C-alpha cells in the first residue's frame, strides 16, 4: 500500500476506482507456491523480489499469505 493509505487500505481502492482509465487494468493477481522449507522471513523476501521483478517499486501491491497445510488439517 502507498504510505498515505497504509492505515486505511479502503482509501487506496476508492482512489483507484476514481482514477482508473476506462480501458485500464484494476489489478493483476499472482499466485505463488512457496517451499515449506523456507522460513517465513525467507518467504517474504522471495515474494518481495518477485514483486520487484514483475512491477518494480513504483506501484502499490498487496500480499495475502495462506498456509494451506493448516487449512487442510
Amino acid at each position: 500500500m502507498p504510505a498515505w493509505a497504509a492505515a486505511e487500505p479502503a482509501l487506496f481502492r476508492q482512489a483507484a476506482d476514481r482514477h482508473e482509465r476506462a480501458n485500464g487494468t484494476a489489478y493483476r493477481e499472482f499466485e505463488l507456491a512457496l517451499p515449506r522449507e523456507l522460513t517465513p522471513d525467507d518467504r517474504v523476501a522471495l515474494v518481495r523480489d518477485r514483486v520487484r521483478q514483475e512491477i518494480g517499486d513504483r506501484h502499490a501491491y498487496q500480499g495475502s499469505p495462506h498456509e494451506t497445510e493448516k487449512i487442510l488439517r
Side-chain angles (χ1 to χ4, degrees):
M1 284 290 142
W4 56 266
E8 294 186 58
L11 289 177
F12 174 75
R13 291 180 187 83
Q14 290 168 359
D17 289 343
R18 279 194 310 274
H19 300 288
E20 182 181 343
R21 294 183 331 197
N23 61 347
T25 301
Y27 72 94
R28 293 190 179 140
E29 184 173 319
F30 296 95
E31 187 171 319
L32 305 172
L34 302 173
R36 291 182 188 152
E37 293 81 12
L38 295 177
T39 67
D41 289 339
D42 288 341
R43 290 182 198 149
V44 168
L46 188 60
V47 169
R48 286 186 176 153
D49 286 343
R50 176 65 181 199
V51 168
R52 273 195 284 287
Q53 289 175 12
E54 292 295 325
I55 66 172
D57 59 358
R58 296 185 63 204
H59 301 280
Y61 66 92
Q62 179 178 345
S64 181
H66 302 281
E67 295 185 32
T68 56
E69 64 272 6
K70 289 182 180 178
I71 294 170
L72 297 175
R73 289 183 187 179

